[in-house]
Amino acid sequence: MNIFTPWLERYAAPLPSAEQLGERFTMTSSEVESIERFLPHLNEVRVARTLAIHPHPNSTKLQILTVDLGVLGTREIVTGAPGVRVGALYPLALPGTTLHPLKGDPITLGEREIRGVVSPGMLCGADELGLSAVVTDGLLELAESATPGESVLKALGLEDASVIDLSLTPNRPDLFSYIGLAREVAAFYPKARFTEPALASLELAHPPLQLTAKIHDQTIAKRLTAVALALPAQLPETPLWMQLALQAAGIRPINLVVDITNYVTLEYGQPMHAFDRRAIGEGSKITIGVGTVADATEIPLLNGKTYTLVPGDPVLVSTDGVALDLGGIMGGAMMSVKEDTAEIVLQATCFPGPVIRRASRRHGIRTEASSRNEKGTDPELTITALKRAVYLLQELGGMKQISNLADTSTKAAKSDRPRIHLSVSRVHEILGTSISPTDCRSILQRLGFYVASINKAALEVVAPTWRADVRLEEDLIEEIVRIWGFERVPATIPSGPIAAPQPHTRFYRLQKIREIAAARGITELVVHPFASERELVGTRIAPTEAVALPNPLSAELAYLVPSHLPTLLRISTGWSTERPEATFMTYQSVFQAGPTEEKRLGILLRTQADHVAAYRTVRGHIEALLGSCEFQAANDEELFHPGTTTTVLKDGVVIGRVGAVHPAVLQYWKIRTATTVWFAELAIAPLLTAKLPATFSAAGGFPAIIRDVTLQRPVTTESALVAAEVQAAVASLPVEGMSLKDRYVSAKNPEVQALTYTIVFRHPERSLTDEEVNAALEQLQ
Amino acid sequence: MTMHPLLNQATTEITAIRSAAEASSLSADQLREQLLGKNGVLTQIQKGLGALSPEERAEVGPELQLLRLQIDAELTTREEVGTITELHIDRTLPGSGAAAGSVHPITAMMDEMVGIFSRLGFEVVDGPELVQDSQNFTALNLGPDHPARDGHDTFYVTDELVLRTQMTTLQPLELARRVKEEHLPVRIVMPGRTYRRESDATHAAMFHQMDAVLLDQQATFADLKGILTYFVQQLFGDDVETRFRPHHFPFTEPSAELDIKLKNPRGNAPTGWIEFGGCGMIHPAIIERAGLNPRVWRGWAFGMGVERPIMIRHGIRDLRVLTANPPTLFEQLGSLSS
């Protein structure tokens, strides 16, 4: 909501500076997004008094004016404007000033020669200054009270005018209006007095036109209020102050009738619309109704487009049942006020918010009216807003009321306003500080609440009709504390008891896994789980396995990934030039069609080393992070290079798979073939539960004998078989540990692998001798 | 203090034998014999200790013994290690392997945030990212027609399942579970991934939040202010101011927004007041639905983004760099110095 400060000051005065007002709004009510001066460039446009008028030597249409600029001296200005007179005060834009007219591009003025005469500046009309949408040849005549030489903003009383952009929360639709804002200001800034604007009575003894309001569908509207007026032969122009107010709100002035309906919408927050009376019906008895359409109905709206309305859409209807508009959202193109309109029917309707929200979404139309109506308006407002609009139409437009006030409502319009019990002790309980009953009462009353004392320590409170959001004692406490001041609540440390903690093993064990991974040179990534269809296919993942989002942000982010592989490869590609060797890990959710969600650990290794080394590195990482696991060759999976798919088991349970990424996938992700990429994906959540701590057993007291033994076997022989062979040979001796120290395949003889094992022998009761160890190892060749 | 004559004698004689040995290229063994052997000079001199007064002996004895140990150590080194020559190392060479692994800045920040709350007795809670929309909204007082649902640009996965839009989604279920298990009062933190259908420099479709909830029979808004002030100071040190201002959340009443302001913002960190998190007293309807009497039990809740404090601390302007994971992110923020 944009607040134009001079407008707000009509209902709450005096106001502090815009900055102070903004600060108070932020700290007690709603957050201020920005504060801007209104038309700051007009500070450079000066008030000029006409001293003399001379004819232009080369033109009969142009004149030369001698103008007085006070301390700035006098100037000879060329103008083509009609009706200039000596003694009048006009705005003068001096060379260098930039003007921002409402129509067209900004103009920066220079010293211009006009038909042979140099003019050091330009006398301006309201349109050229950006003050009015009405294009005119005439100059803006300033009030006699203006001083020559001063800024035109000062002369217009807009010197301190600012636009405050307020960010409103959805619980406060009442602040979407100047009256609501003024009430709020009077509550948090008691120096300002709240004043309601003038209203028309709408009582007419013998109306020539009988107007009926009818709600055809009780689910579509809560209240409908309408009145008819006759327009004068010539509709006056909208006064400058109203045009300025609308512009500050970002609304383009159109004509007096539309401008007044827009103005009152902003004033009270109750949207309204004026129909050409002929659209409602001819004759002396007409009916305006509100309901919905029975079948799909095409209707052209004010934005020039035609929409197909469907049952459920709100519509205002004529006496004959013709749909006139998209009710509460946008007027119909055919039914609005036109050049030849002589009579209008002005209506204000209270809709249930969701009706408008659904229709606004359905048709993709958002307007000033829909943004207010969808939040739900106060049913009491339709009549007040109508009285205000009629007052302005009569005062500014010379219009005459020609019908009775038609007003109808449903049960839903009778707002149920609970009596809320507020106890002083509850205020203290919730806030941890005391606020006196006097303060509570005063704050609530300034906000428009009805307050009665029950006793010294309790109040009975009823919220005003515009505060349907306040229903509970806690709601009242919020109202009180925000105005009283959050900064006055002390900051304390909770003293309450603590339940015996249940440490979250999963979280802390993951922390440990991350630390170990980092220590092993692995970079942890946090990636979003989205991918495109193309990326899934490129990674040899069937899109049917993934979750397609019904409303993705873009085609690039259309799926939730069922595996970490595409997202990790995407990052890996980005790293390729800077860091050709890197290992990533991530522990996050992935999503499978179903949809189901599973948290998985993903590891992606990218190296210049060969596949054997890469496999051993990944396996080493997994065992370092999770403890010893079994690795079993498995049937090929799509993602992996043929012959590399490996199942990982922990304590006999399959937890995931490992493999070299398929060359076609690497090709898709533009990863060079010389690079080896291995990927592991493991569902480790079951492993992250609490478990008993490991018990430590110290090495025995007798010296160990440590030997390396190397065996040459065909490369096709699995190392596990060779290891078993070694174990069998030394079976008679006590072996404390055995590990593969080295595996070597020479380029000369690629058919043979040399496997070197380190074996630790230790007897628990005596020293072993070299002889017995040698004897065992000699069996191995 | 003057040197004792016996010590003086020892030093002089040892020096003489050493220079003679050097001249005649004596081996370490031979030198050991001459200095420390049965008839070595030092042995002979130590024999003279017996003639001294007890006071003198106490003074000179240990000194001579120290001399013997030093000579022994020196000769052992010469025998077993040989001559030690000076090394020539270019100390201007760069370090290698500094680009080691690292924990991601987001998880590091989450760990830090959880750490602060765990010192205050808060336990960690997690839960699924794919949730029923009723859990994400209705359970938090956001009915199907609640206007606040508009503010949530939600990823619907099916008609009923959504990617959770806020960590508060876990709160009602967790409270109900704790009530059922009679594990009360409640102090919990809930860190995790959340999703909104938006993307710009300060909003990502996937981002992280952490909620904290305290529920007991004496929680107050003043406590909430106290804990959050402590939390912010733990994160940013004394270089920070805080303020609480009104806001609206359907699941808290009263509600407030916590803003912070850095006294000395660094890098691209924003100046002025920064929105830091939402908070408030838990709405009585939520306490009631969890199975407790809201006139007896009350509590507060706090929710904040995880990316925001990282951006503030490191002066990051565009949060998308955090999930783009470029090498520079880890080079600059991955080490202790960050």
Side-chain angles (χ1 to χ4, degrees):
Chain A
M1 174 82 188
N2 280 346
I3 308 174
F4 183 44
T5 51
W7 192 353
L8 181 62
E9 202 152 23
R10 285 178 205 141
Y11 323 110
L15 288 182
S17 73
E19 282 68 28
Q20 287 170 314
L21 185 63
E23 166 75 11
R24 293 312 295 153
F25 259 115
T26 293
M27 293 311 290
T28 64
S29 177
S30 303
E31 191 189 3
V32 168
E33 296 278 345
S34 64
I35 299 179
E36 276 168 28
R37 291 274 167 264
F38 185 62
L39 304 180
H41 57 278
L42 292 190
N43 255 326
E44 296 309 311
V45 178
R46 305 287 164 170
V47 174
R49 183 189 295 278
T50 316
L51 296 178
I53 304 173
H54 320 285
H56 190 286
N58 306 323
S59 166
T60 50
K61 284 184 183 166
L62 298 174
Q63 290 177 303
I64 300 169
L65 272 58
T66 306
V67 296
D68 171 24
L69 288 172
V71 290
L72 299 175
T74 61
R75 299 281 193 285
E76 303 282 315
I77 306 293
V78 179
T79 181
V84 288
R85 56 184 181 83
V86 173
L89 294 145
Y90 302 115
L92 175 67
L94 294 169
T97 308
T98 301
L99 296 177
H100 299 259
L102 288 185
K103 287 170 189 160
D105 297 326
I107 315 157
T108 301
L109 294 176
E111 201 157 277
R112 206 153 59 98
E113 192 186 293
I114 306 167
R115 303 288 296 269
V117 178
V118 173
S119 181
M122 184 176 92
L123 292 163
C124 306
D127 55 331
E128 286 157 330
L129 295 179
L131 294 172
S132 168
V134 181
V135 178
T136 164
D137 290 339
L139 299 179
L140 172 65
E141 195 166 330
L142 299 164
E144 277 301 309
S145 54
T147 310
E150 73 179 1
S151 110
V152 73
L153 272 185
K154 192 169 181 199
L156 291 168
L158 295 173
E159 202 179 16
D160 299 318
S162 298
V163 177
I164 302 176
D165 182 5
L166 206 59
S167 161
L168 297 182
T169 50
N171 61 322
R172 294 300 304 276
D174 64 305
L175 294 185
F176 222 167
S177 69
Y178 276 91
I179 298 297
L181 291 167
R183 259 194 225 107
E184 188 84 351
V185 170
F188 67 62
Y189 185 71
K191 269 188 207 163
R193 261 178 59 87
F194 173 64
T195 318
E196 279 222 49
L199 306 176
S201 81
L202 295 190
E203 278 165 28
L204 192 62
H206 302 287
L209 181 66
Q210 202 175 325
L211 180 63
T212 308
K214 192 162 171 25
I215 295 175
H216 298 291
D217 185 333
Q218 305 252 328
T219 64
I220 294 292
K222 295 181 183 178
R223 185 171 190 171
L224 172 61
T225 310
V227 67
L229 297 118
L231 270 54
Q234 178 70 39
L235 203 58
E237 260 177 29
T238 306
L240 192 60
W241 60 265
M242 185 175 282
Q243 290 200 42
L244 289 178
L246 291 173
Q247 274 176 54
I251 296 171
R252 208 162 58 86
I254 294 169
N255 64 47
L256 186 62
V257 174
V258 176
D259 291 350
I260 286 176
T261 57
N262 285 337
Y263 185 84
V264 176
T265 297
L266 287 163
E267 221 176 16
Y268 277 94
Q270 169 64 56
M272 58 179 63
H273 187 69
F275 292 101
D276 188 313
R277 173 251 155 95
R278 289 169 294 187
I280 308 298
E282 301 292 345
S284 60
K285 286 184 181 179
I286 58 173
T287 302
I288 183 166
V290 62
T292 185
V293 292
D295 306 297
T297 307
E298 285 207 344
I299 184 166
L301 297 184
L302 275 176
N303 63 2
K305 295 181 190 160
T306 298
Y307 294 84
T308 305
L309 304 190
V310 296
D313 282 341
V315 287
L316 273 293
V317 294
S318 71
T319 310
D320 300 331
V322 177
L324 302 171
D325 64 357
L326 182 52
I329 298 173
M330 189 177 273
M334 324 292 285
M335 321 302 171
S336 296
V337 179
K338 291 182 279 286
E339 288 292 309
D340 65 342
T341 299
E343 292 169 348
I344 58 170
V345 174
L346 191 64
Q347 62 79 23
T349 312
C350 173
F351 298 94
V355 169
I356 300 299
R357 193 145 51 90
R358 283 193 284 265
S360 164
R361 286 263 162 112
R362 187 179 298 134
H363 298 288
I365 314 176
R366 277 186 70 82
T367 59
E368 282 285 332
S370 74
S371 63
R372 286 178 172 75
N373 283 325
E374 73 176 17
K375 291 178 175 70
T377 52
D378 175 4
E380 297 303 313
L381 272 183
T382 57
I383 209 157
T384 316
L386 222 53
K387 285 179 174 175
R388 174 61 176 161
V390 171
Y391 173 85
L392 291 170
L393 290 166
Q394 287 170 340
E395 288 295 309
L396 305 175
M399 298 180 202
K400 299 253 177 313
Q401 184 183 348
I402 54 168
S403 82
N404 57 304
L405 173 69
D407 181 31
T408 182
S409 55
T410 67
K411 273 187 196 143
K414 308 280 174 286
S415 55
D416 102 80
R417 294 192 286 156
R419 293 164 179 275
I420 311 168
H421 181 94
L422 178 74
S423 72
V424 172
S425 61
R426 186 69 176 163
V427 174
H428 187 271
E429 269 176 20
I430 295 285
L431 298 179
T433 192
S434 291
I435 302 179
S436 76
T438 321
D439 281 353
C440 292
R441 169 190 276 268
S442 153
I443 288 167
L444 290 172
Q445 281 175 337
R446 276 182 306 187
L447 285 167
F449 288 70
Y450 166 82
V451 187
S453 291
I454 298 173
N455 56 45
K456 269 188 188 162
L459 303 172
E460 188 174 76
V461 183
V462 178
T465 54
W466 59 86
R467 291 303 305 273
D469 60 309
V470 176
R471 307 191 64 81
L472 303 175
E473 192 172 16
E474 286 76 9
D475 297 331
L476 292 178
I477 295 171
E478 175 171 270
E479 293 303 305
I480 292 164
V481 69
R482 70 181 177 90
I483 301 288
W484 188 73
F486 277 119
E487 71 279 4
R488 292 166 74 184
V489 177
T492 54
I493 290 296
S495 56
I498 300 179
Q502 297 173 330
H504 193 273
T505 319
R506 198 153 54 236
F507 183 82
Y508 293 106
R509 293 195 63 186
L510 271 173
Q511 261 186 359
K512 186 98 181 164
I513 286 176
R514 288 196 182 94
E515 279 165 22
I516 296 171
R520 293 177 69 84
I522 300 175
T523 301
E524 186 201 11
L525 302 186
V526 170
V527 284
H528 66 65
F530 305 108
S532 67
E533 186 165 49
R534 179 188 288 268
E535 286 173 334
L536 291 179
V537 172
T539 316
R540 294 170 68 90
I541 294 173
T544 48
E545 288 172 28
V547 177
L549 290 169
N551 59 343
L553 260 178
S554 67
E556 295 303 303
L557 310 171
Y559 286 86
L560 291 174
V561 288
S563 158
H564 289 307
L565 186 57
T567 45
L568 292 183
L569 283 171
R570 188 192 296 135
I571 307 293
S572 184
T573 301
W575 282 47
S576 55
T577 46
E578 279 175 76
R579 297 246 207 119
E581 294 216 325
T583 309
F584 297 145
M585 75 143 249
T586 191
Y587 181 72
Q588 281 164 357
S589 287
V590 288
F591 303 86
Q592 279 84 30
T596 59
E597 174 187 352
E598 187 175 49
K599 283 205 163 54
R600 288 186 188 168
L601 174 70
I603 298 174
L604 188 83
L605 170 79
R606 177 170 172 160
T607 172
Q608 308 294 329
D610 65 14
H611 280 296
V612 174
Y615 166 70
R616 293 192 63 198
T617 306
V618 173
R619 181 168 171 166
H621 286 323
I622 293 172
E623 290 182 321
L625 298 179
L626 305 178
S628 67
C629 296
E630 280 174 77
F631 291 77
Q632 291 175 354
N635 293 336
D636 286 341
E637 283 185 29
E638 289 289 303
L639 304 179
F640 294 127
H641 193 296
T644 66
T645 304
T646 311
T647 305
V648 184
L649 297 92
K650 175 80 181 165
D651 303 326
V653 178
V654 174
I655 56 168
R657 64 241 164 106
V658 182
V661 177
H662 195 283
V665 175
L666 298 183
Q667 163 73 21
Y668 172 80
W669 289 100
K670 300 191 172 55
I671 292 173
R672 283 176 296 118
T673 44
T675 312
T676 310
V677 181
W678 277 67
F679 174 63
E681 191 159 66
L682 309 164
I684 60 167
L687 306 179
L688 301 177
T689 51
K691 61 173 192 181
L692 292 174
T695 49
F696 177 73
S697 60
F702 289 88
I705 292 181
I706 302 170
R707 286 293 165 82
D708 283 358
V709 56
T710 302
L711 283 81
Q712 299 207 342
R713 295 290 180 271
V715 280
T716 49
T717 307
E718 286 186 349
S719 76
L721 291 178
V722 183
E725 191 185 339
V726 176
Q727 274 160 348
V730 298
S732 61
L733 291 172
V735 174
E736 190 175 276
M738 179 175 131
S739 57
L740 180 66
K741 185 183 185 185
D742 187 38
R743 176 182 180 274
Y744 177 71
V745 181
S746 77
K748 238 192 251 173
N749 190 1
E751 300 303 316
V752 172
Q753 57 179 342
L755 297 167
T756 304
Y757 289 91
T758 300
I759 313 171
V760 180
F761 300 94
R762 192 196 302 272
H763 197 286
E765 283 149 18
R766 62 179 176 85
S767 291
L768 289 167
T769 62
D770 281 344
E771 288 71 30
E772 48 188 336
V773 170
N774 290 348
L777 294 180
E778 267 163 25
Q779 306 166 37
L780 292 167
Q781 276 313 315
Chain B
M1 196 181 123
T2 55
M3 203 183 262
H4 192 278
L6 207 57
L7 208 54
N8 212 0
Q9 185 196 346
T11 322
T12 316
E13 287 186 20
I14 289 168
T15 310
I17 289 173
R18 275 178 182 277
S19 20
E22 208 159 305
S24 59
S25 313
L26 227 53
S27 77
D29 264 354
Q30 291 165 315
L31 185 57
R32 180 188 290 277
E33 190 54 38
Q34 288 192 15
L35 291 175
L36 311 177
K38 237 180 212 169
N39 297 310
V41 287
L42 192 55
T43 318
Q44 291 306 320
I45 288 169
Q46 281 180 305
K47 279 180 183 164
L49 280 170
L52 299 181
S53 69
E55 293 77 22
E56 278 181 308
R57 210 182 304 143
E59 186 203 328
V60 183
E63 295 277 353
L64 290 173
Q65 188 56 29
L66 178 61
L67 205 54
R68 172 175 285 273
L69 283 177
Q70 284 170 339
I71 292 167
D72 180 53
E74 181 208 321
L75 291 173
T76 306
T77 307
R78 202 193 295 179
E79 285 157 13
E80 294 181 5
V81 182
T83 322
I84 298 169
T85 54
E86 196 183 347
L87 295 178
H88 297 280
I89 292 166
D90 178 359
R91 257 70 56 89
T92 63
L93 285 170
S96 68
S102 58
V103 171
H104 193 278
I106 288 177
T107 38
M109 175 56 76
M110 258 187 325
D111 286 354
E112 186 176 341
M113 288 162 51
V114 166
I116 297 168
F117 273 97
S118 68
R119 292 200 283 281
L120 296 164
F122 286 67
E123 300 166 30
V124 182
V125 167
D126 65 6
E129 295 171 11
L130 206 53
V131 297
Q132 297 285 332
D133 66 344
S134 58
Q135 189 192 340
N136 197 68
F137 294 116
T138 319
L140 293 172
N141 294 342
L142 288 134
D145 280 323
H146 196 288
R149 277 202 185 191
D150 289 352
H152 294 257
D153 291 311
T154 309
F155 281 114
Y156 274 84
V157 173
T158 66
D159 285 347
E160 287 102 35
L161 284 175
V162 301
L163 288 169
R164 66 186 178 201
T165 61
Q166 52 196 0
M167 288 312 294
T168 316
T169 300
L170 295 189
Q171 183 188 314
L173 276 186
E174 183 60 17
L175 289 183
R177 188 183 72 79
R178 296 279 299 242
V179 170
K180 200 175 156 205
E181 291 176 8
E182 296 180 8
H183 189 51
L184 298 170
V186 178
R187 289 187 185 201
I188 47 174
V189 277
M190 296 165 279
R193 289 207 291 190
T194 46
Y195 299 84
R196 302 262 171 103
R197 244 190 115 261
E198 55 192 354
S199 179
D200 60 39
T202 53
H203 300 88
M206 186 279 290
F207 56 102
H208 296 75
Q209 283 189 338
M210 189 193 74
D211 267 32
V213 169
L214 183 148
L215 180 87
D216 60 20
Q217 299 185 10
Q218 55 233 79
T220 64
F221 191 85
D223 285 353
L224 172 60
K225 272 187 79 170
I227 291 263
L228 294 190
T229 307
Y230 167 82
F231 173 70
V232 167
Q233 281 170 354
Q234 289 284 306
L235 269 189
F236 295 104
D238 294 332
D239 190 34
V240 70
E241 290 173 66
T242 55
R243 75 174 187 191
F244 291 80
R245 59 180 170 80
H247 201 66
H248 170 70
F249 303 105
F251 34 88
T252 49
E253 196 73 42
S255 304
E257 188 89 43
L258 168 63
D259 291 346
I260 67 164
K261 187 157 100 178
L262 299 182
K263 288 174 195 151
N264 300 296
R266 303 168 55 224
N268 285 326
T271 53
W273 289 105
I274 310 160
E275 250 180 60
F276 197 67
C279 60
M281 302 302 290
I282 301 173
H283 196 283
I286 289 178
I287 296 176
E288 199 162 1
R289 283 197 292 267
L292 295 174
N293 179 355
R295 304 300 296 187
V296 178
W297 292 87
R298 55 183 191 268
W300 51 253
F302 165 63
M304 66 172 294
V306 177
E307 283 84 352
R308 183 63 63 90
I310 301 173
M311 294 171 79
I312 295 169
R313 184 181 281 177
H314 300 295
I316 294 173
R317 192 171 285 173
D318 187 338
L319 79 93
R320 286 171 291 196
V321 73
L322 292 172
T323 45
N325 298 288
T328 47
L329 181 71
F330 300 95
E331 282 157 16
Q332 294 177 35
L333 305 186
S335 71
L336 253 190
S337 58
S338 63

